[in-house]
Amino acid sequence: MNDTITIMDIDFVNTTQKELLQNHIAPRLEAEKKSFIVTANPEIVMQTREDPRYKKSVQSADYVTPDGVGVLMAAKYLKLPLKERIAGYDLMLDLLQYANEHKLSCYFLGAKEEVNEKAVAEVKKQFPAIHIAGRHHGYFDIDDETITSEIERSKADLVFVALGLPRQELWISRHIDKFSKGLFMGVGGSLDGLAGTFKRAPDIWIKLNLEWLYRLLKQPTRFKRILKVFEFMFRIIFRKST
């Protein structure tokens, strides 16, 4: 994709969620062409600075979307404005809707066993035309080839990987070459959202770009992660990015 904005060596797609799905992702799914999507927030960008292996994994993605108001603020500050935030959870729901409309198959990898099970049950309820190619919890070694072989044999059209930062992107980049087709996307805690383990912020918080604050109030343990956002912005403002 040619229309990108580079922030700290990471190329973010500069498009809307609707355009990304219709003009880029859908045609690749129809052609059974493999795709690797990273939904990157400031925490992910900072992790790429600290871990060269992880940076290489993220840079290998076909699409890196700006997931997080911090990325949009940074782009605007650098006078390279991005069209809109493309949140991982929202993109996942759009992909599930697309899969449902086209009767595609999905594999769900990651999260705790009970969360994974509940999330898949919810997918079956909300998107009944989707074929569940398989599922597996996230407690395994990312180099375990039996998991990779199981997913490859399932011939899934979409593989949602909820292994958290940085395992999910590392798993995808290490194993994607072993697949003949499939869209692979790291979805973080999105399976928890589907399972109802936590509720997303009300629409007004999201519209005001305060979803991060809502989640912090609900989960104070996220404070260390929020600090990464401030470090990210500090480096942008003082041009310490590379």
Side-chain angles (χ1 to χ4, degrees):
M1 186 171 181
N2 295 325
D3 194 5
T4 59
I5 298 296
T6 303
I7 300 175
M8 292 188 184
D9 291 341
I10 303 301
D11 295 331
F12 289 88
V13 296
N14 190 18
T15 186
T16 66
Q17 184 165 312
K18 183 178 180 180
E19 290 170 347
L20 178 65
L21 183 60
Q22 291 183 346
N23 301 337
H24 300 277
I25 297 176
R28 291 174 74 101
L29 283 169
E30 290 171 9
E32 294 192 344
K33 188 175 182 180
K34 285 187 290 186
S35 300
F36 175 14
I37 300 175
V38 176
T39 59
N41 56 22
E43 185 184 4
I44 284 180
V45 177
M46 293 305 298
Q47 182 72 18
T48 65
R49 290 180 56 85
E50 298 162 7
D51 184 345
R53 293 179 313 149
Y54 186 63
K55 182 176 185 178
K56 188 175 180 180
S57 295
V58 173
Q59 289 178 325
S60 73
D62 296 290
Y63 305 102
V64 181
T65 71
D67 181 0
V69 64
V71 175
L72 268 67
M73 290 173 62
K76 187 175 181 180
Y77 182 84
L78 295 172
K79 294 182 171 55
L80 300 168
L82 289 157
K83 290 183 179 179
E84 71 177 26
R85 177 191 177 199
I86 302 178
Y89 188 74
D90 294 333
L91 182 57
M92 182 185 72
L93 290 180
D94 273 1
L95 288 170
L96 288 172
Q97 182 61 46
Y98 179 89
N100 189 65
E101 292 170 357
H102 294 81
K103 297 180 172 58
L104 301 181
S105 60
C106 299
Y107 193 104
F108 299 85
L109 178 66
K112 295 178 181 178
E113 172 61 22
E114 59 269 27
V115 170
N116 187 295
E117 184 178 13
K118 287 181 181 179
V120 171
E122 191 60 31
V123 169
K124 289 179 180 178
K125 186 188 302 182
Q126 292 187 36
F127 309 98
I130 287 178
H131 170 64
I132 304 299
R135 67 175 192 83
H136 196 284
H137 62 72
Y139 294 85
F140 64 92
D141 189 304
I142 65 171
D143 291 319
D144 186 343
E145 293 296 337
T146 61
I147 303 296
T148 306
S149 297
E150 176 187 324
I151 300 172
E152 199 283 326
R153 285 195 301 270
S154 77
K155 302 299 181 184
D157 297 300
L158 300 95
V159 181
F160 296 105
V161 185
L163 301 179
L165 169 70
R167 291 179 71 228
Q168 58 193 26
E169 284 78 30
L170 289 173
W171 184 89
I172 295 171
S173 64
R174 287 183 189 182
H175 299 287
I176 193 170
D177 288 342
K178 297 160 189 169
F179 294 84
S180 58
K181 69 169 187 176
L183 178 148
F184 297 79
M185 175 176 160
V187 296
S190 293
L191 294 192
D192 291 88
L194 277 174
T197 305
F198 74 83
K199 291 185 178 180
R200 200 174 180 196
D203 288 344
I204 186 63
W205 290 71
I206 296 173
K207 289 178 181 177
L208 292 173
N209 290 322
L210 292 174
E211 187 174 10
W212 64 272
L213 179 58
Y214 179 88
R215 295 185 68 181
L216 178 61
L217 292 172
K218 292 292 183 180
Q219 298 173 289
T221 54
R222 294 175 61 88
F223 182 70
K224 287 185 178 180
R225 297 176 64 176
I226 296 299
L227 288 179
K228 284 292 182 182
V229 178
F230 288 113
E231 182 184 353
F232 170 79
M233 291 306 302
F234 179 87
R235 289 182 178 277
I236 290 293
I237 292 170
F238 290 96
R239 296 296 202 280
K240 290 187 178 180
S241 58
T242 57

